């Protein structure tokens, strides 16, 4: 039986190698120019990132809550010391969290906060908020939601613009839609 750390290390290696193999120089150049050189890029397509995460989850079925958040953190980090973060690895972390949002807990908001602070682009921050944090919050029981609301209140006042934007997006998505205006009777054509 392998430890969680061994499984996470193997899964991160699998994802990294696969993303490198799926890369193309012209997509890597596009990411570099679009994001101002903040990230290294393998040039993997979004479809390749999604497929790689799907394959990793099939191959490493023993990823529980701890394994999922550790793998997301490993992918979010630098591939090796001194290297720039890799855009596709971070995107894979977001896709992983999207795929396993049901195992996440209110206590994972601190990890999401760290990811948001270092996202450097809305291309990572927006799906992290919309597709991970919002569903996470929606699935929390009352007591855990109250704890999460304390974190969100802090985000709303944080000096970091990214956290304030995340809190605003969460608030916007949590608001019920306005009722229709005007005549609400159906008309026969």
């Amino acid at each position: 039986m392998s430890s969680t750390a061994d499984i996470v290390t193997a899964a991160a290696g699998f994802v990294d190698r696969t993303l490198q193999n799926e890369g193309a120089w012209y997509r890597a150049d596009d990411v570099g120019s679009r994001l101002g050189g903040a990230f290294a890029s393998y040039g993997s397509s979004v479809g390749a990132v999604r497929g790689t995460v799907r394959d990793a989850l099939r191959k490493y079925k023993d990823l529980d809550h701890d394994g999922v958040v550790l793998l997301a953190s490993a992918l979010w980090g630098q591939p090796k010391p001194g290297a720039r973060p890799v855009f596709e690895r971070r995107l894979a972390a977001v896709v992983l969290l999207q795929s396993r949002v049901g195992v996440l807990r209110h206590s994972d908001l601190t990890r999401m906060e760290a990811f948001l602070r270092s996202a450097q682009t809305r291309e990572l921050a927006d799906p992290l908020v919309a597709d991970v944090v919002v569903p996470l919050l929606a699935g929390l029981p009352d007591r855990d939601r109250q704890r999460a609301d304390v974190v969100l209140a802090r985000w709303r006042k944080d000096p970091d613009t990214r956290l304030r934007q995340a809190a605003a997006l969460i608030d916007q998505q949590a608001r019920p839609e306005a009722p229709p205006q005007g005549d609400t009777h159906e008309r026969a054509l």
Side-chain angles (χ1 to χ4, degrees):
M1 177 181 252
S2 297
S3 72
T4 299
D6 293 339
I7 294 169
V8 167
T9 299
F14 171 82
V15 170
D16 193 70
R17 282 188 309 278
T18 305
L19 292 176
Q20 288 183 51
N21 290 335
E22 293 289 333
W25 65 266
Y26 63 90
R27 280 193 299 261
D29 285 350
D30 177 57
V31 169
S33 64
R34 197 174 68 241
L35 301 178
F39 296 99
S41 175
Y42 294 153
S44 306
S45 68
V46 172
V49 172
R50 291 190 177 286
T52 298
V53 170
R54 180 197 61 229
D55 292 347
L57 289 171
R58 287 181 183 159
K59 184 173 177 131
Y60 302 97
K61 295 176 184 167
D62 295 335
L63 286 173
D64 58 2
H65 167 267
D66 293 346
V68 167
V69 294
L70 288 172
L71 178 56
S73 292
L75 293 171
W76 196 268
Q78 298 160 313
K80 58 187 171 192
R84 287 184 297 161
V86 177
F87 177 76
E88 291 84 2
R89 286 172 53 102
R90 287 192 171 187
L91 185 58
V94 173
V95 171
L96 171 67
L97 294 169
Q98 289 170 336
S99 302
R100 292 296 187 259
V101 74
V103 304
L104 299 178
R105 305 174 185 150
H106 74 280
S107 58
D108 295 321
L109 285 175
T110 55
R111 190 174 308 266
M112 301 305 126
E113 179 177 333
F115 289 174
L116 288 167
R117 285 185 189 278
S118 62
Q120 301 181 30
T121 177
R122 295 190 70 129
E123 289 183 42
L124 294 170
D126 288 352
L128 185 62
V129 171
D131 301 332
V132 179
V133 177
V134 169
L136 165 63
L137 295 171
L140 292 176
D142 287 340
R143 187 175 183 111
D144 289 343
R145 178 56 200 239
Q146 290 170 352
R147 291 176 178 145
D149 285 341
V150 170
V151 173
L152 295 177
R154 184 174 45 76
W155 288 10
R156 287 183 194 99
K157 297 175 184 175
D158 197 283
D160 189 330
T161 305
R162 291 169 287 232
L163 287 183
R164 290 193 315 271
Q165 288 173 339
L169 184 59
I170 291 164
D171 292 342
Q172 179 184 12
Q173 290 194 5
R175 274 187 229 121
E177 289 191 32
Q181 301 293 320
D183 186 6
T184 58
H185 296 287
E186 282 188 40
R187 298 176 192 215
L189 295 178

